[in-house]
């Protein structure tokens, strides 16, 4: 029979890897909670219309990367390709805006995009991200970027990451800029790639994103979006820059940063790793002041970011952060069937005082069990053999220091309580 395999672009996260994920998730949970953000968990699939209306019909995600299917009742459903749309849907559906003027949310979970798989780019991948609804002041933008920076720092990545920021202005600014950019590009239209020619008609700002050197050269003297900022756009951006400086967060202003999605307004930003090669975008985000209204809610400003967890983990490995998994405190060696019940009982009590205790369900020899204890890097072994059973004792062995002792079974919990406190 043909061997069953995971689908192209999806990956199993095996126990040898999962400790890294848990470490990253712990940092995300801790930092977000420190800033007053609480976790939201949304469904994996949604109605297709949610993404076409928010992310935008003309984006790569919606036009070619979604996993969509028709349900039995004819409804079109889609595996979520990003989470801002789902979180916003949920914000509107549960009328969160009426409960409090500010909502600070974060998420961790899988997403699905039918992209060409390569290192750091998968079809099922994971993001953590945050969304803050309710505030349109620049200190909210500064807080969002500060959270991203703090998570990167605690993951050991901030020394090798660049923060690029830009403001793509309000809607009126973008309308004026779009025309100016099209006027500038028009004479070069035939020299552009097919993709850029298509974008010229659908979403010309995205041409600024081009990776082609030829197109970058053409765009060198293109008008800058900052020249089209309204006064409020400029004040917002200048204030943000001041706040980032006040927090000692280094950044570069990149006039060509527009980001792919349709819903952004004003601030956009991206953290790129200097160590990841082609797929170097670690985290990206921006303000989306029109999104809640566009999806049918009361006008509410919002801003957030999303970070690729696979890329974080690759970068964390490369930066040499200690990502070793947890090792047992105690390996409990039972050598006599009559001792199994006591072994189970004492082990549970030890776990209740916070210790990690591993048992051998294979009833192997003392030598094999101790070999396993060493392999797992257990600190201590407890041994329950014939003599110990007869004496109501258990033998204790410090596997690092080689010290050995006999303890009464009734004293084991107190013994470890003293030892570990
Ligand atoms: P986006 O939602 O496209 O703004 O992406 C935000 C972040 O998610 C990127 O900076 C990447 O780190 C990560 N990311 C996006 N697409 C993929 C993918 N196909 N595989 C792995 N990571 C991804």
């Amino acid at each position: 029979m043909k061997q069953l395999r995971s689908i192209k672009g999806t990956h199993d996260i095996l126990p040898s890897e999962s400790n890294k994920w848990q470490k990253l998730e712990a940092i995300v949970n801790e930092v977000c909670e420190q800033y007053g953000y609480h976790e939201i968990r949304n469904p994996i699939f949604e109605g297709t219309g949610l993404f076409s209306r928010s992310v935008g019909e003309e984006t790569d995600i919606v036009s070619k990367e979604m996993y969509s299917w028709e349900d039995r009742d004819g409804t079109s459903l889609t595996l979520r390709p990003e989470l801002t749309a789902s979180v916003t849907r949920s914000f509107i559906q549960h009328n969160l805006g009426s409960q409090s003027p500010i909502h600070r949310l974060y998420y961790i979970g899988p997403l699905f995009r039918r992209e060409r798989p390569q290192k750091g780019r998968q079809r099922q991948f994971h993001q953590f991200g945050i969304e803050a609804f309710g505030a349109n002041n620049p200190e909210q933008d500064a807080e969002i970027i500060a959270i991203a920076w703090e998570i990167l720092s605690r993951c050991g990545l901030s020394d090798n990451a660049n923060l690029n920021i830009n403001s793509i202005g309000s809607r009126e600014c973008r309308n004026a800029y779009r025309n100016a950019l099209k006027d500038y590009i028009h004479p070069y239209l035939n020299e552009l790639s097919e993709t850029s020619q298509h974008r010229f008609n659908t979403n010309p700002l995205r041409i600024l994103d081009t990776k082609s050197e030829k197109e970058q050269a053409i765009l060198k003297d293109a008008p800058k979006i900052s020249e089209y900022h309204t006064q409020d756009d400029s004040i917002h951006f200048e204030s943000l820059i001041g706040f980032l400086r006040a927090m000692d967060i280094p950044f570069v202003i990149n006039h060509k940063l527009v980001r792919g999605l349709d819903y952004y307004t004003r601030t956009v930003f991206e953290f790129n790793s200097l160590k990841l090669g082609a797929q170097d975008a670690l985290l990206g985000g921006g303000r989306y002041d029109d999104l809640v209204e566009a999806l049918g809610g009361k006008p509410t400003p919002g801003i957030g970011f999303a970070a690729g967890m696979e890329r974080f983990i690759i970068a964390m490995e490369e930066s040499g952060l200690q990502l070793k998994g947890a090792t047992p405190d105690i390996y409990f060696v039972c050598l006599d069937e009559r001792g199994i019940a006591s072994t189970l009982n004492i082990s549970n009590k030890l776990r209740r005082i916070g210790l990690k205790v591993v048992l051998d369900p294979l009833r192997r020899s003392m030598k094999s069990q101790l070999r396993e204890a060493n392999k797992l890097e257990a600190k201590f072994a407890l041994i329950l053999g014939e003599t110990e059973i007869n004496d109501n004792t258990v033998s204790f062995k410090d596997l690092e220091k080689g010290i050995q002792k006999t303890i009464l079974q009734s004293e084991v919990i107190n013994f470890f309580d003293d030892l570990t406190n």
Side-chain angles (χ1 to χ4, degrees):
M1 200 172 75
K2 201 170 161 224
Q3 202 192 358
L4 298 171
R5 300 191 65 86
S6 58
I7 304 298
K8 186 175 167 190
T10 70
H11 289 272
D12 299 311
I13 299 169
L14 299 176
S16 54
E17 292 286 308
S18 57
N19 62 296
K20 298 171 194 166
W21 286 78
Q22 287 170 354
K23 179 143 198 163
L24 175 56
E25 286 163 13
I27 292 173
V28 172
N29 288 324
E30 184 177 79
V31 174
C32 289
E33 296 287 342
Q34 282 183 319
Y35 281 82
Y37 288 64
H38 300 301
E39 191 181 5
I40 180 164
R41 300 186 187 197
N42 295 105
I44 299 287
F45 60 95
E46 298 268 359
T48 303
L50 172 64
F51 304 110
S52 41
R53 278 172 64 187
S54 56
V55 181
E57 294 280 5
E58 287 302 331
T59 56
D60 289 351
I61 293 181
V62 173
S63 63
K64 48 187 188 203
E65 294 170 0
M66 293 204 302
Y67 284 99
S68 303
W69 71 98
E70 198 174 286
D71 204 15
R72 289 186 191 183
D73 64 1
T75 325
S76 178
L77 302 177
T78 292
L79 292 180
R80 60 190 194 189
E82 62 111 53
L83 260 157
T84 302
S86 304
V87 174
T88 306
R89 194 245 335 119
S90 178
F91 174 82
I92 298 168
Q93 181 177 335
H94 301 286
N95 207 6
L96 297 184
S98 69
Q99 295 167 20
S100 145
I102 295 285
H103 274 272
R104 302 176 183 90
L105 307 168
Y106 77 96
Y107 59 78
I108 300 177
L111 306 171
F112 307 84
R113 293 183 195 169
R114 201 175 193 292
E115 296 189 87
R116 197 166 53 78
Q118 53 182 282
K119 190 180 176 200
R121 184 188 279 169
Q122 299 176 192
R123 290 182 169 177
Q124 174 172 346
F125 63 102
H126 299 76
Q127 287 184 343
F128 65 85
I130 64 178
E131 314 290 356
F133 292 97
N136 58 11
N137 287 320
E139 52 270 39
Q140 179 66 80
D141 308 40
E143 179 176 273
I144 294 282
I145 294 176
I147 295 174
W149 176 253
E150 192 56 34
I151 295 175
L152 278 157
S153 303
R154 291 195 202 175
C155 291
L157 304 182
S158 50
D159 287 348
N160 288 309
N162 268 342
L163 165 61
N164 283 272
I165 61 169
N166 192 19
S167 170
I168 57 168
S170 46
R171 205 181 314 157
E172 52 178 308
C173 150
R174 267 199 317 286
N175 287 342
Y177 178 65
R178 196 175 292 122
N179 292 334
L181 184 65
K182 283 180 91 167
D183 287 346
Y184 173 85
I185 292 176
H186 195 259
Y188 305 100
L189 205 52
N190 289 335
E191 297 173 48
L192 302 185
S193 67
E194 216 177 293
T195 314
S196 293
Q197 288 188 16
H198 179 69
R199 285 179 176 162
F200 183 80
N201 293 314
T202 57
N203 191 351
L205 264 65
R206 289 232 35 218
I207 301 177
L208 296 173
D209 253 351
T210 180
K211 295 251 170 7
S212 142
E213 282 181 21
K214 185 176 157 206
E215 293 185 351
Q216 283 174 356
I218 292 174
L219 291 168
K220 203 162 80 51
D221 298 319
K224 290 194 176 96
I225 197 156
S226 55
E227 293 157 13
Y228 292 80
H229 283 168
T230 62
Q231 199 185 3
D232 285 348
D233 290 338
S234 305
I235 294 172
H236 187 97
F237 195 50
E238 290 305 319
S239 310
L240 169 61
I241 286 171
F243 297 150
L244 292 178
R245 290 206 173 110
M247 292 188 291
D248 297 322
I249 298 177
F251 62 89
V252 177
I253 297 174
N254 176 352
H255 293 289
K256 297 215 163 64
L257 180 69
V258 290
R259 309 239 336 113
L261 315 182
D262 274 4
Y263 53 61
Y264 287 118
T265 48
R266 289 195 169 156
T267 311
V268 288
F269 61 96
E270 217 165 74
F271 279 94
N272 297 297
S273 163
L274 305 175
K275 290 200 157 176
L276 280 186
Q279 300 305 321
D280 66 346
L282 279 170
L283 179 156
R287 181 166 272 288
Y288 45 84
D289 290 345
D290 303 329
L291 181 62
V292 176
E293 191 180 5
L295 291 180
K298 290 202 192 90
T300 310
I303 178 166
F305 70 67
M309 297 178 76
E310 280 78 6
R311 294 189 198 172
F312 257 67
I313 286 176
I314 299 172
M316 282 158 83
E317 279 166 350
E318 290 191 0
S319 76
L321 191 78
Q322 261 304 339
L323 293 169
K324 224 172 110 223
T327 53
D329 298 303
I330 301 169
Y331 193 98
F332 207 138
V333 180
C334 177
L335 297 170
D336 189 315
E337 266 182 56
R338 287 178 302 148
I340 295 176
S342 309
T343 304
L344 294 170
N345 179 292
I346 298 170
S347 298
N348 278 351
K349 288 184 179 145
L350 289 166
R351 292 182 187 116
R352 273 180 217 137
I353 63 163
L355 296 169
K356 298 185 200 79
V357 187
V358 174
L359 309 178
D360 174 51
L362 292 175
R363 303 188 183 181
R364 287 178 291 185
S365 68
M366 166 110 126
K367 201 168 148 204
S368 311
Q369 291 196 46
L370 284 177
R371 197 183 301 133
E372 170 95 359
N374 280 322
K375 196 169 136 203
L376 296 178
E377 299 181 38
K379 285 197 218 47
F380 312 113
L382 283 177
I383 302 161
L384 193 59
E386 199 182 342
T387 325
E388 288 87 356
I389 291 171
N390 292 339
D391 299 347
N392 285 324
T393 59
V394 57
S395 296
F396 161 86
K397 201 168 171 182
D398 184 323
L399 296 172
E400 282 158 17
K401 300 186 186 132
I403 303 165
Q404 219 159 324
K405 261 190 191 152
T406 304
I407 319 165
L408 277 173
Q409 284 179 20
S410 56
E411 283 301 310
V412 173
I413 308 302
N414 285 341
F415 175 81
F416 276 101
D417 232 355
D418 291 346
L419 190 73
T420 50
N421 283 318

